[in-house]
Amino acid sequence: GPEIKSSHIREKTQGIAIQLLVDISSSMDMRNLDRDGQSITRMELAKALVADFIGGDGERLPGRPHDLIGLITFARYADTRSPLTFGHQALLDIVRQLKIQSRPNEDGTAYGDALAIAAARLHTLPELNHNNSQLMSEPIASKVIILLTDGENNSGTHLPVEAAGLAKKWGCRIYAIRLGDPSETSVDLQLSPAEEVLQHICRETGGHFRQVHDFESMLAVYAEIDQLEKVEITQELHQQNTALFWLPLIIAVTTLIAALSLETTWLHKLL
């Protein structure tokens, strides 16, 4: 019978779960260079690039609208500033309001603890999905931790290598960015013991370690990570056939009724 064919395309997005770790220890008050070559604090530099990574800068960073993103800061202690969320506008507000830890008794660098918390948060994603179906309409493609620090781990209860072991066990990749002094620009510069630790934990989990010194070099690293951790978007074509048998059926039934009516009235009299 007659029918109408209709089709529509549905996009399936497999986003990425990302934990952003940002150093807020007192050393982040030191100065590096922004995009215009002006001197700004490392904290302001970090906030600008992290915000651009989340929301995009209109040029080299497109933003991560399809990803679950959480934020953890650390000095002597690691604190969850935002759980994994799709509410990126609220997250951006939190990032822009970050401040350096000013209490002397809370100064330090405990990125080992921050890594352990981040890995645990990513590990519990299936539980989060069970409790809140709006978190993940499609499966998460991968789990990523992006660590930004300018120091070495000297506080906390978890060693970086121990935390990296948890991340590896739970399928989390670590990307570590070490923000150094602008004078340390030689690519042949030998890694310090602290940098070797960062490089080791990244390699163990399948990530990368990068050194940055200013806005441009940090932007290049975030752009690199953005390219490496691509969101998977696939299209599904759905086709539907709608039968129109009812149209000729109605015409036939109407004609039959009319014929029967005429036979019992006007045609009957003529005959």
Side-chain angles (χ1 to χ4, degrees):
E3 60 182 17
I4 294 178
K5 294 183 178 181
S6 61
S7 61
H8 66 277
I9 295 174
R10 175 177 177 263
E11 281 194 348
K12 290 180 64 177
T13 303
Q14 281 191 305
I16 296 168
I18 302 175
Q19 285 282 8
L20 298 171
L21 278 53
V22 178
D23 192 337
I24 59 169
S25 62
S26 62
S27 57
M28 291 292 285
D29 198 35
M30 296 179 66
R31 292 185 169 269
N32 287 67
L33 301 178
D34 68 5
R35 83 164 68 228
D36 299 318
Q38 302 298 314
S39 176
I40 62 173
T41 66
R42 293 177 178 178
M43 187 77 262
E44 293 302 318
L45 188 61
K47 287 160 59 175
L49 266 299
V50 169
D52 285 348
F53 180 77
I54 297 169
D57 64 357
E59 297 177 7
R60 293 170 63 178
L61 294 173
R64 311 290 303 193
H66 302 291
D67 296 332
L68 272 172
I69 303 179
L71 176 66
I72 297 172
T73 59
F74 60 90
R76 178 173 293 275
Y77 306 105
D79 298 300
T80 299
R81 295 300 185 95
S82 171
L84 290 161
T85 180
F86 285 118
H88 294 175
Q89 190 55 57
L91 178 59
L92 286 170
D93 291 340
I94 294 172
V95 169
R96 292 170 180 139
Q97 293 173 20
L98 289 179
K99 295 181 180 179
I100 293 171
Q101 177 56 253
S102 58
R103 298 176 182 175
N105 63 330
E106 294 188 15
D107 196 22
T109 304
Y111 73 73
D113 283 359
L115 286 171
I117 293 172
R121 295 278 190 272
L122 293 170
H123 180 56
T124 58
L125 273 177
E127 179 182 336
L128 289 174
N129 188 39
H130 176 75
N131 294 331
N132 187 350
S133 60
Q134 292 183 343
L135 275 181
M136 294 179 289
S137 58
E138 299 294 341
I140 288 295
S142 60
K143 295 177 284 187
V144 174
I145 299 171
I146 304 177
L147 166 66
L148 173 62
T149 183
D150 68 346
E152 62 179 302
N153 191 80
N154 55 22
S155 304
T157 58
H158 294 86
L159 294 174
V161 174
E162 174 193 355
L166 294 174
K168 182 178 181 180
K169 176 182 177 181
W170 294 330
C172 308
R173 280 188 297 279
I174 298 174
Y175 294 92
I177 304 170
R178 192 260 177 176
L179 180 53
D181 190 276
S183 63
E184 301 173 358
T185 57
S186 173
V187 295
D188 300 322
L189 198 65
Q190 185 175 0
L191 294 181
S192 68
E195 292 165 343
E196 288 178 349
V197 171
L198 290 169
Q199 184 179 69
H200 173 76
I201 64 176
C202 292
R203 285 179 175 174
E204 282 295 298
T205 59
H208 298 295
F209 166 64
R210 296 289 185 263
Q211 297 167 287
V212 299
H213 310 91
D214 54 19
F215 183 93
E216 186 59 35
S217 59
M218 190 186 293
L219 173 60
V221 173
Y222 276 107
E224 177 189 8
I225 297 172
D226 185 74
Q227 289 298 312
L228 289 171
E229 298 295 339
K230 279 290 190 181
V231 172
E232 182 181 343
I233 301 177
T234 58
Q235 292 185 337
E236 291 184 342
L237 177 63
H238 296 270
Q239 186 165 300
Q240 182 177 357
N241 296 333
T242 303
L244 296 178
F245 67 89
W246 52 269
L247 183 59
L249 179 61
I250 289 175
I251 295 173
V253 171
T254 302
T255 303
L256 178 60
I257 293 173
L260 292 173
S261 176
L262 289 172
E263 284 183 357
T264 59
T265 56
W266 185 68
L267 285 177
H268 179 73
K269 291 179 180 179
L270 290 176
L271 295 173

